Amino acid sequence: MKVMKFGGGCLKDAKTLDRVAAIIAHEGRKPAVVVSAFQGVTDQLIAAAAAARDDERTISDRVSRLWDRHVKVAEGAIRPVAVREETLRAIEVVLQRVERLLYGIAYTGEASPAIHNHVLSYGERLAARCVAGALRARGVAARPLDSDRIGMVTDDALENATVNLGRFRASFRRTAGHIKRGLYVPVVTGFFGVTPEGRISLFGRNGSDYSAAVLAHGLEARSLEIWKDVGGFMSADPDAVKAARKIGRLSYYEAAELSYFGAKILHPRTLEPLTGRTVEVRIKSLAEPGGRGTEIVRRVPARRNVVKSVTANEGLALLRIHGPGVGYKPGIIGRLGRRLAELRVNIYSIITAQTCINLLVDGKDARRGFEALKSDRNGVIARVDLEEDVALVAVVGEGMVERRGVAARVFSAVARAGVNVEMISSGASEVATYFIVDRADAARAVRALHREFFG
Ligand code: ASP
Ligand code: MG
């Protein structure tokens, strides 16, 4: 059994939807499919929920825009009239629910996290109906399945939730039997599950990769394909480095670290549900459907060049907490962390010394975090600084931390390029070395490192 996941990058318009349907229909044995929302739709839903709170007059306009987009896609990719009509009706039913939820937010003037998540889940529900329609138009028996209806039960966390795999297996067993017998191709919604109390829980941005792995677990699939619109997994961002090359194989840890540091390849928790299973995981490219893509394996054999990829995340900021004894004060990191967690500010990394604690956070959250920490002085913290123009450069490769001389090569290459390294963390991960530079220097550092390790 194979699970195929198609992200928002593969679902842009009628043309890409048609290509996706062709790829699925081409499979010899009926696969299972997981989809993200069409590109940009999740962001539109986030904006719609925020706008509804302040002004109900925005709602019909925003819902019509979603309607127009999906109708255009469905009409472009689904020729047979009966299938097309049926798909349009399904889209209408789904959008009516979105509209009602948005009015609920407008009338109460608030969106609880559960309602907010519920609104966000509709991007995937819409996409699943479009993809199933496009498959039926090609004569493939296909059905949209909403993950909250097939028992994808999570823990209580509404954000970054974790699926209870045992429970999912149990409630999914019958449906799984039908799917494995090839009765139809299920088109399952990615991104969300449902808490034991029935609230919609999310797996985080790009969470559909994780959903796909959960489905692979539930179906005991042998193969999981994550389809992207880009040309596979590269040694660096090809827009930044012309000589970037394709990587044939990566370990689980390398893929997770690269995703964490901004390469956006896989949701960092994708491989969790596959622990203990033998599943072939591949990143495939819509641009080159016949290509082998990048294989993700448990362990890669040691190679001469241990570095696999160089990446930079330019969307970060540093919160620097100064005080003569901050490094020594018990509990201070816990307190800072809790304060930021309340504000939903995610900490990427912490680098500490006796007189300064450095928190690396998402750039868009930085100001919020800064204001909160600034007002939270209690004698230990002397000053809080915000540095907004920083980037994190990461060099990733299994075995690089044990291999003698790799760190020296990393930092001398960067120094030769005239880039000043502001802060270093090495050894925190067994497969990555990362450091912080001025945002303006990030691209130069990446190019220098790529030249050093890939020639
Ligand atoms: N649609 C969601 C997002 O934009 C989930 C996903 O794409 O996997 O983050
Ligand atoms: Mg996505």
Side-chain angles (χ1 to χ4, degrees):
M1 182 94 222
K2 182 193 278 188
V3 173
M4 305 171 86
K5 180 257 168 176
F6 294 90
C10 301
L11 297 168
K12 290 182 187 153
D13 47 25
K15 214 171 86 198
T16 48
L17 171 60
D18 193 49
R19 204 176 307 154
V20 164
I23 288 170
I24 299 167
H26 193 70
E27 286 291 314
R29 244 188 93 191
K30 283 201 185 74
V33 174
V34 174
V35 293
S36 300
F38 272 80
Q39 193 165 57
V41 167
T42 306
D43 290 324
Q44 271 174 287
L45 290 167
I46 292 172
R53 205 164 11 192
D54 302 330
D55 187 355
E56 67 174 78
R57 283 168 307 181
T58 60
I59 295 173
S60 64
D61 200 38
R62 287 181 188 265
V63 173
S64 323
R65 249 181 284 157
L66 288 167
W67 168 250
D68 292 344
R69 168 106 184 261
H70 288 88
V71 166
K72 203 166 151 208
V73 164
E75 289 187 335
I78 306 173
R79 291 280 134 69
V81 180
V83 183
R84 187 199 294 180
E85 295 288 305
E86 194 185 34
T87 308
L88 292 181
R89 264 198 308 278
I91 293 173
E92 193 178 355
V93 169
V94 168
L95 278 173
Q96 254 165 20
R97 298 213 179 104
V98 176
E99 191 163 24
R100 285 189 198 134
L101 282 166
L102 291 174
Y103 276 110
I105 293 174
Y107 292 153
T108 55
E110 56 185 298
S112 69
I115 304 260
H116 184 258
N117 290 357
H118 204 160
V119 171
L120 264 55
S121 73
Y122 280 91
E124 273 67 17
R125 298 183 206 261
L126 286 163
R129 279 146 186 89
C130 292
V131 172
L135 285 169
R136 280 210 299 274
R138 290 178 170 268
V140 178
R143 275 189 210 169
L145 295 184
D146 292 332
S147 45
D148 52 342
R149 306 289 298 274
I150 57 169
M152 213 178 263
V153 177
T154 64
D155 53 6
D156 290 326
L158 290 174
E159 299 263 351
N160 208 353
T162 302
V163 172
N164 181 331
L165 295 172
R167 254 184 99 161
F168 173 55
R169 273 200 311 274
S171 39
F172 186 55
R173 185 163 297 133
R174 259 197 61 200
T175 311
H178 297 161
I179 295 168
K180 284 197 235 176
R181 288 215 306 280
L183 298 190
Y184 60 91
V185 172
V187 183
V188 180
T189 54
F191 188 36
F192 69 93
V194 60
T195 68
E197 293 77 39
R199 297 197 181 91
I200 299 295
S201 47
L202 303 181
F203 303 137
R205 295 310 302 264
N206 295 314
S208 306
D209 294 343
Y210 175 75
S211 310
V214 169
L215 190 70
H217 176 101
L219 289 169
E220 297 175 310
R222 286 297 174 82
S223 158
L224 169 60
E225 290 180 354
I226 311 270
W227 286 76
K228 304 245 157 210
D229 57 338
V230 292
F233 212 151
M234 312 286 282
S235 57
D237 175 358
D239 288 337
V241 180
K242 280 204 194 63
R245 31 178 113 144
K246 208 171 278 175
I247 307 172
R249 210 190 247 176
L250 280 176
S251 75
Y252 279 14
Y253 283 113
E254 288 169 338
E257 292 288 1
L258 279 168
S259 304
Y260 188 68
F261 290 120
K264 299 254 154 47
I265 294 142
L266 271 188
H267 182 276
R269 295 176 51 215
T270 305
L271 302 164
E272 245 175 57
L274 304 179
T275 310
R277 298 283 178 92
T278 313
V279 183
E280 190 191 87
V281 182
R282 245 174 223 288
I283 316 278
K284 300 270 291 181
S285 159
L286 208 57
E288 205 196 331
R292 294 185 53 73
T294 300
E295 190 188 1
I296 313 284
V297 295
R298 227 161 265 281
R299 272 213 88 78
V300 281
R303 299 188 322 170
R304 212 150 36 108
N305 186 2
V306 292
V307 171
K308 295 284 176 40
S309 191
V310 183
T311 182
N313 185 338
E314 301 185 14
L316 300 175
L318 266 180
L319 291 169
R320 313 194 64 173
I321 295 107
H322 302 271
V326 286
Y328 193 66
K329 174 82 183 163
I332 189 161
I333 290 187
R335 222 188 62 223
L336 297 170
R338 266 195 305 283
R339 187 76 195 94
L340 293 179
E342 281 162 19
L343 298 168
R344 298 215 209 162
V345 175
N346 183 34
I347 303 174
Y348 271 80
S349 178
I350 304 180
I351 302 175
T352 64
Q354 167 71 356
T355 60
C356 186
I357 296 174
N358 297 281
L359 306 175
L360 194 62
V361 298
D362 212 315
K364 65 176 181 354
D365 300 335
R367 238 329 101 208
R368 214 158 13 109
F370 173 60
E371 298 300 337
L373 297 187
K374 216 171 52 173
S375 57
D376 181 32
R377 283 198 232 139
N378 68 343
V380 185
I381 299 173
R383 196 176 84 240
V384 181
D385 289 337
L386 170 63
E387 257 187 63
E388 291 196 277
D389 297 318
V390 299
L392 182 84
V393 177
V395 183
V396 173
E398 191 95 45
M400 66 178 283
V401 174
E402 295 105 74
R403 184 73 67 92
R404 217 179 313 148
V406 176
R409 278 177 74 191
V410 167
F411 293 109
S412 51
V414 172
R416 277 200 308 278
V419 172
N420 177 43
V421 173
E422 290 195 21
M423 227 172 275
I424 299 173
S425 171
S426 185
S429 152
E430 282 177 25
V431 307
T433 291
Y434 55 96
F435 55 90
I436 293 162
V437 299
D438 222 59
R439 185 172 300 156
D441 290 338
R444 194 145 38 98
V446 167
R447 279 195 299 271
L449 288 164
H450 198 272
R451 218 176 306 120
E452 171 70 26
F453 290 101
F454 297 91

